[in-house]
Amino acid sequence: MTMSRRDLLKAGSASVLLAPAMMASTGWADDPVVPYADAVLEDGEPPAPAVGAFTLVVLPDTQYYARSFPQHFMAQTQWIAAQEQARNIVGVLQLGDLTDHNTPEHWQRAADAMAVLHGKVPYVVVPGNHDYGERGRCTDRTTLINDYFPVAHFARQATLGGTYDKEPDRIENSFHLLSVKGRRLLVLALEFGPRADVVRWANEVLQRHPDWEAILVTHAYLYDDGTRYDWATKGEAQPWNPHSYPMAKATGGDVADGEALWRELVSRHENVILTFNGHVLGDGLARLTSQTPGGRDVHQMLINFQMRANGGDGWLRLLEFQPDRTTVHVQDYSPVLDQRNTAPQNRFTLALSPPKPAG
């Protein structure tokens, strides 16, 4: 049976689990998506960063690696650990859906891969919809993430700033402080469809750190058309909005989507510079730059490679922060293929707006 992409998206909301081979298909019935159609692939690693630059690595949806291709997950973290000094890698941002079914087997594979970074590179994890509920069906907020990624582990990284004040022993919502080369980065890591009180806590974290450049990491925020998830105005026209999951219905709609997070969190603070999310299909890539009331640019990115073969072919996104404090060079690289993608969606440069001084 041939399923249209829309049918598959609807099935995803009901948690029908898609095989990696299906996700890597060369086309959909009514909306062709060829994962490498726009790619410009070149062999070898990206050039070495400039002297004085540092790197953040973005590691999006790993669910199919945890299910079927753990060797690719391991290859990603092994490459990151090996490149830590050469590229001055100061942190790794995982974007949720660590697992596919929220089962001990999948969590153990994720934990084994991320353990390669222990003592080498600090990292951040957030839960995605597949990390919640029985078999990853996102029926509620039950998850095994804390059994395999306990707060005590992150406390040993020395970069953990804190966790959600109502759930201090849980890692679903946390913030991390990275000081590097005279710059201070705050990474705010939030659960899938954050609850209203979590957003309250997140605002307080940003208010306490006005002089830190802040980065938001959450699983669902930007959609593949370059607009934020907005249930209030677009509803099911943007499939996989957090509001469409059983978890939201079971909690009276206590979830926030991208537009709510922009309105109630990101735009309220003049130190947020970037947001990252995974989750969305299509070609899995989108960007949006929005201005805060104070006139600062906030760059927002969707990054998801799971539609490619073998669960994602091991693709990573590297962000190289330049010594001038405003320029960021972005490049996608796969240590599995030893290839970089130099297409415009996969290699570009950002100009950051420096935070406004407090007061």
Side-chain angles (χ1 to χ4, degrees):
M1 179 180 68
T2 300
M3 298 181 70
S4 73
R5 177 171 176 257
R6 184 166 298 278
D7 290 335
L8 287 167
L9 290 168
K10 289 179 180 178
S13 294
S15 298
V16 173
L17 300 168
L18 307 178
M22 184 179 293
M23 298 298 295
S25 168
T26 57
W28 304 91
D30 65 356
D31 185 9
V33 176
V34 182
Y36 290 107
D38 298 325
V40 179
L41 300 178
E42 299 181 6
D43 292 336
E45 298 176 347
V51 175
F54 64 88
T55 304
L56 280 177
V57 179
V58 179
L59 177 56
D61 304 48
T62 55
Q63 63 193 82
Y64 292 143
Y65 301 141
R67 187 173 86 178
S68 303
F69 302 97
Q71 70 276 21
H72 295 336
F73 202 162
M74 192 68 71
Q76 290 177 308
T77 54
Q78 287 175 340
W79 184 85
I80 293 168
Q83 292 288 317
E84 181 264 334
Q85 291 190 8
R87 296 181 182 275
N88 195 17
I89 299 175
V90 301
V92 177
L93 313 180
Q94 200 280 333
L95 303 185
D97 278 0
L98 278 150
T99 72
D100 199 26
H101 293 171
N102 189 31
T103 60
E105 180 185 21
H106 291 190
W107 280 110
Q108 189 60 60
R109 289 174 176 171
D112 289 345
M114 297 303 284
V116 173
L117 303 177
H118 291 180
K120 296 283 291 183
V121 181
Y123 65 85
V124 171
V125 297
V126 295
N129 54 291
H130 279 273
D131 299 322
Y132 284 120
E134 184 181 4
R135 299 292 294 174
R137 294 186 175 95
C138 202
T139 52
D140 53 34
R141 290 194 183 272
T142 58
T143 176
L144 297 177
I145 192 171
N146 294 285
D147 295 342
Y148 294 87
F149 294 91
V151 171
H153 159 68
F154 292 92
R156 291 193 293 271
Q157 290 188 162
T159 54
L160 179 66
T163 54
Y164 172 40
D165 54 12
K166 298 291 183 62
E167 297 172 353
D169 59 344
R170 302 185 67 86
I171 201 60
E172 290 98 315
N173 299 284
S174 61
F175 72 97
H176 306 255
L177 302 172
L178 306 176
S179 296
V180 54
K181 295 189 177 296
R183 295 179 70 171
R184 299 190 295 179
L185 301 180
L186 185 155
V187 179
L188 183 62
L190 301 184
E191 64 192 9
F192 176 67
R195 292 163 283 173
D197 195 63
V198 168
V199 175
R200 181 273 308 165
W201 167 80
N203 273 297
E204 293 176 2
V205 169
L206 293 180
Q207 288 166 0
R208 293 197 304 268
H209 299 85
D211 297 324
W212 291 68
E213 296 174 276
I215 298 170
L216 172 65
V217 175
T218 193
H219 187 58
Y221 177 94
L222 194 67
Y223 191 61
D224 71 354
D225 62 0
T227 66
R228 289 181 288 269
Y229 266 120
D230 188 353
W231 185 255
T233 61
K234 299 181 180 179
E236 293 183 358
Q238 292 177 320
W240 291 2
N241 188 300
H243 284 276
S244 69
Y245 286 79
M247 178 185 73
K249 296 175 176 64
T251 58
D254 189 11
V255 299
D257 61 15
E259 190 60 32
L261 287 171
W262 170 260
R263 183 178 64 251
E264 299 169 12
L265 178 65
V266 177
S267 67
R268 295 185 177 185
H269 303 274
E270 295 297 335
N271 60 331
V272 181
I273 58 172
L274 295 162
T275 76
F276 297 108
N277 69 279
H279 182 56
V280 188
L281 297 183
D283 65 0
L285 299 171
R287 297 194 318 240
L288 172 67
T289 299
S290 304
Q291 284 196 325
T292 66
R296 292 181 56 262
D297 287 338
V298 180
H299 302 293
Q300 301 141 88
M301 291 187 213
L302 157 66
I303 312 160
N304 184 11
F305 300 120
Q306 72 184 84
M307 296 74 67
R308 290 158 177 76
N310 307 309
D313 274 345
W315 287 95
L316 303 166
R317 176 155 289 184
L318 310 180
L319 289 95
E320 297 173 357
F321 290 69
Q322 303 304 302
D324 65 5
R325 303 177 70 87
T326 60
T327 305
V328 180
H329 296 316
V330 181
Q331 173 73 85
D332 292 345
Y333 172 71
S334 167
V336 172
L337 303 177
D338 189 28
Q339 288 183 323
R340 58 194 185 276
N341 191 342
T342 61
Q345 281 203 105
N346 305 89
R347 186 178 66 176
F348 51 90
T349 297
L350 299 174
L352 300 180
S353 294
K356 289 192 172 181

